[in-house]
C-alpha cells in the first residue's frame, strides 16, 4: 500500500514542497530511500525505526521504499524523519490519516519518539500556505501526538500569531540616539547617511564613540515593512540564528563581525552554502570596526553584494543566492596608535605610518563609501551637556520624509530607490546646482584637487541634504556641508 505525506525542504531562503511517498510491499525486509537523499536523510531510517518501536507502533518487516519527490533536487537535513514515520504508519494502516492530504509535516525524530526543532520553519510555512495547505505540523511534543492528530482523534495546539501585535512589539528599538551625548556633527552625518542610504566610514580615536553611534544607526533608518521583516526573518531562520521564542525580525539588523572573520563567514559558504554576515545584515547595517585590520581578500568579497544587493555562492554541489542589501558603516582609528590629530595626545606613528595605515582601506571598497566622517574625542564638557539629545524617533521622521521624496524621484528607475544608488546620468538629471553652489564646487575642486568620482559623491550627498530640507535645487549650504563629509579626499586619498 502507498501513502503520501506532504513535507518541504529549504533551498536558499525559500522552501519547496516535497512529497514523501511510502510504499510497503511483501518481500525481504528492506528500507530504501530514493530521490537524492543526502547523509542526514539516509540516517533518518535508524531514527524512524527506533522511534516507531519505542512508541508502541509496529515497524513492518517488509520491503519499504520511500521516494522524495521531486526526485531531481538533493534533500538534506533531518526534517524528513517525521513525514517518513507518518508515511509508514499510514501505509501500514496503523493510522487512518484523515488529515494527511491537507497538511505539511516536518520534524526530526529522537530515538524515543520525541520531535526535535528544525531550521527554516518560516519559509516552509510560507510555501505550505502558497500551496493551499491548511496547516503545517511542526515539532512540539512527540510522534503519538502527531499520529492522533492526523487520525482526527486529537487536536494539536494551534500556533496563534497576532502578527500586527508581534510586529509592533518586536519593532521597538533597544537603544536610542538620545543616549549619545555630544557629537552633534557625527549625529548629523549619520542622519544624512540614513536619509540617502549612503555608506559611511567614521575615523576617530579610541573611545570617541564610533561603535556607540553605529549601533544606533538602525534606529534612525525607516521602519521595516512587514515584507522586509519576513524576508530578513527567512534568512535568520534558515541560518538557525533566530533566538528561541524570537519568531520575527522586525528591527533592522545590526551585524558587527570581528575583523578576524573569514570571507566565507562574511558572504556565506559551506558545502551546503549558508548565508553569511552580509545576508544576516540584509535590510539593516553591517558594521566593520577597525576596518584596516580586516584581511584584504575579505574586504574584496564585499564588492559584489554591495553592488548587486544579493550574494551568489557557487559550490560544486549547487549555487545559491541570498539577499544582501545592507548599509555599510565602518570605523577606524586615524593611525595605528589612534592619536593622529588629537590635541591631547602625541601620535607616535610618523607621517609614513599614518599614510600606510590609510592606504590599507583605499581602493575599491572606499569607492563605495560616500561619507567619510571625522569623529573627534569628546571633551568632558560635551559629555555633561544635556542638550542635543534628540530621540531616534524624531530623527527617523526626517529620514522618512527625505526617503519619500527619493521614492517619488526614482519611481521609474528600477534598482534605484535612494540617492546613494544614483548613476552618473541620474546625477546629471537630479542634482541641479544653483549658481552660487556651482562657484563653490569649482573652488573646492581646484583647491582640494578632487577627482571626478569625488565630485559625483559630493553631488549625491548634497542631494540628500537638500532632500532633508525639502529643497529642489542644490544650494551653497548643501554643497559646503557635503564637502565636509569627504575628509579622506581632503587628505588626497579619495
Ligand atoms: Zn598614531
Amino acid at each position: 500500500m502507498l501513502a503520501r505525506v506532504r513535507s518541504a525542504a529549504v533551498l536558499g531562503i525559500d522552501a519547496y514542497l516535497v512529497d514523501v511517498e511510502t510504499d510497503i510491499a511483501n518481500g525481504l525486509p528492506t528500507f530504501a530511500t530514493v530521490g537524492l537523499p543526502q547523509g542526514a536523510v539516509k540516517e533518518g531510517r535508524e531514527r524512524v525505526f527506533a522511534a516507531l518501536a519505542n512508541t508502541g507502533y509496529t515497524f513492518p518487516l517488509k520491503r519499504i521504499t520511500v521516494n522524495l519527490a521531486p526526485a531531481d533536487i538533493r534533500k538534506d537535513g533531518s526534517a524528513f524523519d517525521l513525514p517518513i514515520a507518518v508515511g509508514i504508519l499510514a501505509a501500514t494502516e496503523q493510522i487512518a490519516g484523515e488529515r494527511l492530504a491537507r497538511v505539511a509535516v516536518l520534524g526530526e525524530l529522537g530515538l524515543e519518539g520525541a520531535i526535535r526543532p528544525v531550521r527554516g520553519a518560516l519559509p516552509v510555512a510560507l510555501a505550505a500556505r502558497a500551496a493551499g495547505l491548511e496547516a503545517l505540523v511542526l515539532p512540539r511534543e512527540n510522534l503519538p501526538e502527531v499520529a492522533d492528530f492526523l487520525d482526527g482523534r486529537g487536536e494539536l495546539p494551534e500556533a496563534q500569531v497576532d502578527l500586527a501585535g508581534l510586529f509592533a512589539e518586536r519593532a521597538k528599538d533597544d537603544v536610542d540616539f538620545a543616549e549619545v551625548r555630544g557629537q552633534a556633527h557625527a549625529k548629523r552625518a549619520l542622519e544624512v547617511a540614513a536619509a540617502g542610504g549612503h555608506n559611511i566610514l567614521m575615523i576617530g580615536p579610541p573611545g570617541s564613540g564610533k561603535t556607540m553611534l553605529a549601533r544606533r544607526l538602525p534606529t534612525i533608518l525607516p521602519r521595516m515593512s512587514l515584507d522586509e521583516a519576513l524576508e530578513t526573518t527567512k534568512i535568520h531562520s534558515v541560518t538557525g540564528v533566530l533566538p528561541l521564542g524570537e519568531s520575527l525580525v522586525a528591527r533592522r539588523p545590526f551585524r558587527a563581525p570581528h575583523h578576524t572573520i573569514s570571507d566565507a563567514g562574511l558572504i556565506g559558504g559551506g558545502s551546503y552554502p549558508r548565508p553569511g554576515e552580509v545576508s544576516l545584515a540584509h535590510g539593516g547595517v553591517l558594521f566593520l570596526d577597525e576596518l584596516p585590520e580586516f584581511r584584504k581578500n575579505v574586504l574584496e568579497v564585499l564588492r559584489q553584494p554591495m553592488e548587486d544587493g544579493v550574494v551568489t555562492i557557487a559550490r560544486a554541489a549547487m549555487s545559491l543566492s541570498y539577499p544582501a542589501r545592507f548599509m555599510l558603516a565602518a570605523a577606524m582609528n586615524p593611525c595605528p596608535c589612534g592619536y593622529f590629530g588629537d590635541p591631547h595626545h602625541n601620535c607616535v606613528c610618523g607621517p609614513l605610518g599614518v599614510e600606510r595605515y590609510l592606504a590599507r582601506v583605499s581602493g575599491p571598497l572606499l569607492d563605495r563609501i560616500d561619507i567619510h566622517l571625522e569623529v573627534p574625542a569628546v571633551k568632558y564638557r560635551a559629555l555633561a551637556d544635556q542638550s542635543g539629545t534628540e530621540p531616534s524617533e524624531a530623527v527617523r521622521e526626517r529620514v522618512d520624509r527625505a526617503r519619500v521624496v527619493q521614492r517619488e524621484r526614482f519611481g521609474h528607475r528600477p534598482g534605484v530607490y535612494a540617492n546613494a544608488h544614483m548613476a552618473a546620468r541620474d546625477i546629471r538629471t537630479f542634482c541641479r546646482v544653483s549658481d552660487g553652489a556651482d562657484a563653490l564646487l569649482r573652488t573646492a575642486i581646484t583647491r582640494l584637487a578632487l577627482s571626478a568620482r569625488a565630485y559625483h559623491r559630493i553631488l549625491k550627498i548634497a542631494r540628500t541634504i537638500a532632500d532633508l530640507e525639502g529643497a529642489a535645487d542644490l544650494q551653497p549650504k548643501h554643497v559646503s556641508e557635503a564637502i565636509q563629509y569627504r575628509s579622506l579626499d581632503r587628505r588626497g586619498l579619495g
Side-chain angles (χ1 to χ4, degrees):
M1 161 150 197
L2 183 89
R4 190 174 82 140
V5 180
R6 320 295 305 272
S7 189
V10 175
L11 187 68
I13 59 162
D14 291 308
Y16 60 99
L17 288 192
V18 173
D19 281 338
V20 179
E21 298 163 343
T22 307
D23 180 60
I24 297 185
N26 289 321
L28 283 177
T30 54
F31 189 165
T33 313
V34 297
L36 292 184
Q38 304 301 301
V41 181
K42 290 186 196 158
E43 284 170 9
R45 285 182 301 214
E46 308 303 324
R47 291 189 294 269
V48 169
F49 177 80
L52 287 178
N54 290 333
T55 46
Y57 293 104
T58 311
F59 188 89
L61 293 174
K62 295 186 171 186
R63 210 167 66 90
I64 306 171
T65 311
V66 173
N67 178 39
L68 306 174
D72 56 344
I73 310 176
R74 287 159 170 268
K75 326 283 183 320
D76 210 348
S78 46
F80 291 116
D81 291 0
L82 183 60
I84 290 174
V86 166
I88 291 173
L89 291 179
T92 52
E93 296 178 331
Q94 297 183 70
I95 60 169
E98 292 263 300
R99 290 168 160 162
L100 265 186
R102 305 197 299 272
V103 300
V105 178
L106 197 72
E108 176 186 328
L109 283 172
L111 299 181
E112 68 298 345
I115 305 172
R116 302 201 174 122
V118 290
R119 291 192 221 206
L122 175 69
V124 170
L126 293 173
R129 189 177 63 180
L133 294 176
E134 284 171 13
L136 167 65
V137 178
L138 275 173
R140 186 182 164 95
E141 290 278 314
N142 52 46
L143 179 60
E145 191 193 37
V146 173
D148 283 351
F149 167 76
L150 293 172
D151 246 354
R153 275 184 283 122
E155 293 301 321
L156 291 173
E158 247 179 70
Q160 289 287 357
V161 180
D162 165 17
L163 200 53
L166 184 70
F167 189 63
E169 211 226 298
R170 293 266 192 273
K172 285 188 200 122
D173 292 307
D174 49 0
V175 292
D176 198 282
F177 239 39
E179 294 150 1
V180 183
R181 305 256 183 251
Q183 299 293 24
H185 174 65
K187 285 191 203 169
R188 165 69 180 174
L190 287 182
E191 178 177 336
V192 173
H198 304 286
N199 297 321
I200 185 167
L201 170 62
M202 292 181 278
I203 306 154
S208 55
K210 298 173 300 227
T211 302
M212 194 181 181
L213 283 159
R215 179 73 191 79
R216 282 152 184 80
L217 187 51
T219 70
I220 60 168
L221 286 168
R223 286 201 185 282
M224 275 181 144
S225 67
L226 184 57
D227 281 347
E228 283 180 292
L230 283 176
E231 191 169 44
T232 299
T233 306
K234 281 203 274 182
I235 300 169
H236 288 236
S237 173
V238 303
T239 317
V241 296
L242 270 183
L244 209 64
E246 182 101 358
S247 45
L248 187 68
V249 181
R251 282 196 294 254
R252 294 197 178 274
F254 177 80
R255 304 293 300 187
H258 190 255
H259 60 73
T260 52
I261 193 169
S262 67
D263 53 354
L266 194 61
I267 67 157
S271 58
Y272 178 92
R274 297 229 173 264
E277 288 292 335
V278 294
S279 296
L280 293 171
H282 178 66
V285 174
L286 179 70
F287 178 55
L288 304 182
D289 198 8
E290 316 246 23
L291 186 64
E293 305 297 334
F294 281 80
R295 283 190 288 269
K296 242 193 165 101
N297 64 309
V298 170
L299 294 183
E300 261 158 28
V301 296
L302 271 178
R303 285 169 61 180
Q304 188 244 331
M306 283 177 79
E307 221 145 82
D308 307 334
V310 41
V311 60
T312 303
I313 310 155
R315 288 290 179 275
M318 67 186 78
S319 169
L320 282 181
S321 292
Y322 290 110
R325 194 172 290 289
F326 54 88
M327 242 184 94
L328 180 72
M332 62 187 283
N333 294 335
C335 66
C337 86
Y339 293 117
F340 179 76
D342 187 321
H344 307 291
H345 292 85
N346 281 329
C347 169
V348 297
C349 306
L352 201 63
V354 174
E355 200 177 301
R356 246 191 246 130
Y357 185 70
L358 289 172
R360 280 200 232 167
V361 296
S362 61
L365 183 64
L366 206 52
D367 272 351
R368 286 165 180 80
I369 299 178
D370 286 346
I371 297 181
H372 318 145
L373 173 71
E374 307 265 0
V375 185
V378 188
K379 292 187 203 72
Y380 173 73
R381 202 181 303 159
L383 281 175
D385 186 4
Q386 296 296 308
S387 66
T389 52
E390 197 182 24
S392 294
E393 204 45 51
V395 185
R396 177 179 264 156
E397 275 172 28
R398 292 195 293 273
V399 167
D400 276 338
R401 279 200 297 275
R403 290 275 182 141
V404 169
V405 174
Q406 293 168 72
R407 270 201 299 280
E408 281 167 14
R409 173 180 303 140
F410 303 122
H412 61 287
R413 286 278 286 119
V416 179
Y417 51 87
N419 291 334
H421 311 128
M422 282 193 283
R425 63 185 167 111
D426 302 310
I427 295 174
R428 279 193 295 277
T429 314
F430 299 117
C431 301
R432 285 190 314 269
V433 287
S434 68
D435 289 348
D438 191 45
L440 182 71
L441 264 170
R442 280 171 203 286
T443 315
I445 290 168
T446 325
R447 205 174 283 164
L448 303 172
L450 293 181
S451 64
R453 215 185 271 275
Y455 169 74
H456 278 155
R457 302 256 177 247
I458 288 168
L459 286 178
K460 279 191 203 181
I461 305 165
R463 179 67 270 166
T464 300
I465 295 166
D467 287 342
L468 276 168
E469 212 176 67
D473 281 350
L474 307 188
Q475 294 154 20
K477 60 179 171 180
H478 305 139
V479 169
S480 64
E481 185 181 345
I483 292 172
Q484 286 180 38
Y485 300 140
R486 296 296 299 173
S487 69
L488 291 182
D489 293 334
R490 297 203 299 274
R491 293 197 200 170
L493 272 164

